[in-house]
Amino acid sequence: MLVLGIETSCDETGVAIVEDGTRVRSNLVASQVPIHAKYGGVVPELASRNHVVNLTPLISRCLGECGLTLDDVDAVAVTSGPGLVGSLLVGLSTAKSLAYVRSVPLIGVNHIEAHIHANFLGEAPPEFPFLALVASGGHTCIIECADYGQYRLLGQTRDDAAGEAFDKVAKLIGLPYPGGPSIEKSAVAGNPQAIDFPRPMTDKDNLDFSFSGLKTAVLYFVREHGPLVQDGSATGTSRADLCASFQAAVVDVLIRKVQLAVRKTGIRTAVLAGGVVANQSLRARIVDEAGLDASRLHIPHLDYCVDNGAMVAAAGYFRLQRGEHADTTLNADPSLRIGTPAV
Ligand code: KG4
Ligand code: ZN
């Protein structure tokens, strides 16, 4: 079965054709990074306008790349939330039209669920039950996945997402958007112990996160000690040291919460998802430090960590297998929740 996946929840326009929920035939992303970079973050109005410009040509290219036409598509999956409402609506209206004219099922997919399903693309999908850490520019949460479609939200951020913290700190110290890759690059030459930034919420026996205080701690540090000096200077704080110390704080928090989730649930199989898991320091440290089983840790290929259409097609396929699909009343839900919250 060939599923067309459409992702427009934030700033990336993603389109893919995935066979049987696992084999990617084509996956294209029209990045809007250059458009939003000069603002240091995503501008919602610009994002939706550019989805309108990008989406239809991207669908044509995606089909053309694997020698298919719309007639070959068996179902259309689309992100219906959470995300920016204007952006979501562009994907939804396009998906609805295509499903309607082709008389094929339309499947609405939760964006977080889609990120988790990035781990099903390929030969060795994770076995249930597993824990999922989703860390991106818009979301940071830990979910217990008992089976296909059975999700329990164990904890989430109470304010900024981890990626958002990277983006805001980068802006604060004059590094380009998106902040994650910029900070990671600068951190390579820095000392992660140079500045003792807080590890918010790690003293709490719950799986919630909070990153806005950490961002403020960086702001106060820069105000008090700035300006940052050149890397390698004998005195003062370098940008590399600040980046390495900030990155270490975020990674510590993410790892400690996964460690707590392992302790609370007894589940040692895990999947990582979302743009932040592109971070090499997180990838390198998480198995040993979070108490996971190395052979049962799944991390998507970098192309599928960030927002993309293939993960949406995969999640849509497995929904359809369970007999779940939508009709043309499907609407955007900017704060769509996944699973039942753990209280
Ligand atoms: O999943 P994604 O593409 O979009 C959202 O759904 O938000 O994630 C983008 C986020 C951005 O905040 C970006 O700064 C962050 O992921 N990110 C990283 C890295 N690469 C991207 N954060 C830390 N380290 C990275 N290498
Ligand atoms: Zn995302």
Side-chain angles (χ1 to χ4, degrees):
M1 169 179 274
L2 294 175
V3 178
L4 169 66
I6 297 177
E7 158 61 39
T8 63
S9 69
C10 191
D11 59 335
E12 310 292 44
T13 316
V15 175
I17 299 284
V18 176
E19 191 175 343
D20 297 336
T22 54
R23 278 185 301 283
V24 181
R25 297 280 293 268
S26 173
N27 180 56
L28 297 177
V29 175
S31 175
Q32 294 189 20
V33 164
I35 294 163
H36 301 279
K38 53 179 172 290
Y39 304 100
V42 177
V43 182
E45 177 63 27
L46 289 179
S48 47
R49 280 195 221 170
N50 282 283
H51 286 310
V52 173
V53 173
N54 293 336
L55 186 54
T56 315
L58 205 61
I59 294 171
S60 302
R61 266 183 55 212
C62 189
L63 287 165
E65 231 182 43
C66 38
L68 299 172
T69 72
L70 267 185
D71 291 343
D72 300 305
V73 169
D74 299 305
V76 181
V78 61
T79 306
S80 60
L84 302 170
V85 69
S87 290
L88 289 166
L89 284 170
V90 178
L92 270 165
S93 48
T94 306
K96 282 193 216 179
S97 315
L98 293 178
Y100 181 74
V101 295
R102 280 278 296 106
S103 301
V104 295
L106 169 74
I107 314 143
V109 167
N110 181 301
H111 182 71
I112 307 288
E113 172 192 20
H115 270 301
I116 294 171
H117 279 78
N119 290 282
F120 287 82
L121 299 165
E123 298 294 313
E127 280 178 24
F128 293 99
F130 59 79
L131 297 171
L133 169 69
V134 182
S136 71
H139 317 279
T140 303
C141 51
I142 298 180
I143 295 152
E144 182 182 340
C145 306
D147 204 342
Y148 289 106
Q150 288 180 27
Y151 310 110
R152 194 162 73 104
L153 181 64
L154 299 180
Q156 63 186 329
T157 184
R158 296 185 177 180
D159 41 56
D160 292 352
E164 190 177 357
F166 272 99
D167 296 337
K168 288 179 173 170
V169 166
K171 190 174 179 181
L172 194 76
I173 58 173
L175 286 178
Y177 173 85
S182 312
I183 288 181
E184 176 166 30
K185 203 165 145 208
S186 178
V188 171
N191 171 11
Q193 272 129 31
I195 310 161
D196 187 19
F197 285 127
R199 271 66 172 157
M201 305 284 290
T202 49
D203 55 339
K204 303 272 186 297
D205 186 38
N206 64 39
L207 296 168
D208 283 347
F209 301 86
S210 165
F211 290 105
S212 86
L214 175 55
K215 170 200 66 195
T216 310
V218 176
L219 173 70
Y220 286 157
F221 182 89
V222 173
R223 271 195 197 153
E224 209 175 303
H225 299 88
L228 298 173
V229 298
Q230 288 292 324
D231 296 348
S233 299
T235 54
T237 306
S238 72
R239 184 185 275 174
D241 281 350
L242 186 134
C243 288
S245 302
F246 166 75
Q247 176 176 270
V250 177
V251 170
D252 272 355
V253 171
L254 295 173
I255 289 177
R256 285 199 221 167
K257 290 292 176 175
V258 173
Q259 185 187 47
L260 185 58
V262 170
R263 275 214 306 276
K264 282 181 181 285
T265 61
I267 298 173
R268 295 181 65 225
T269 305
V271 311
L272 305 186
V276 176
V277 308
N279 189 279
Q280 297 300 332
S281 165
L282 175 66
R283 287 173 174 240
R285 291 177 45 195
I286 196 162
V287 170
D288 287 346
E289 297 181 33
L292 295 169
D293 181 337
S295 65
R296 291 187 283 149
L297 172 68
H298 299 256
I299 308 178
H301 184 278
L302 280 183
D303 289 349
Y304 307 126
C305 283
V306 295
D307 288 351
N308 65 87
M311 65 184 194
V312 178
Y317 170 82
F318 289 108
R319 272 192 181 237
L320 200 56
Q321 294 303 300
R322 304 194 293 274
E324 294 174 23
H325 59 87
D327 58 30
T328 46
T329 61
L330 179 67
N331 207 350
D333 183 347
S335 41
L336 186 65
R337 292 184 71 99
I338 187 167
T340 51
V343 278

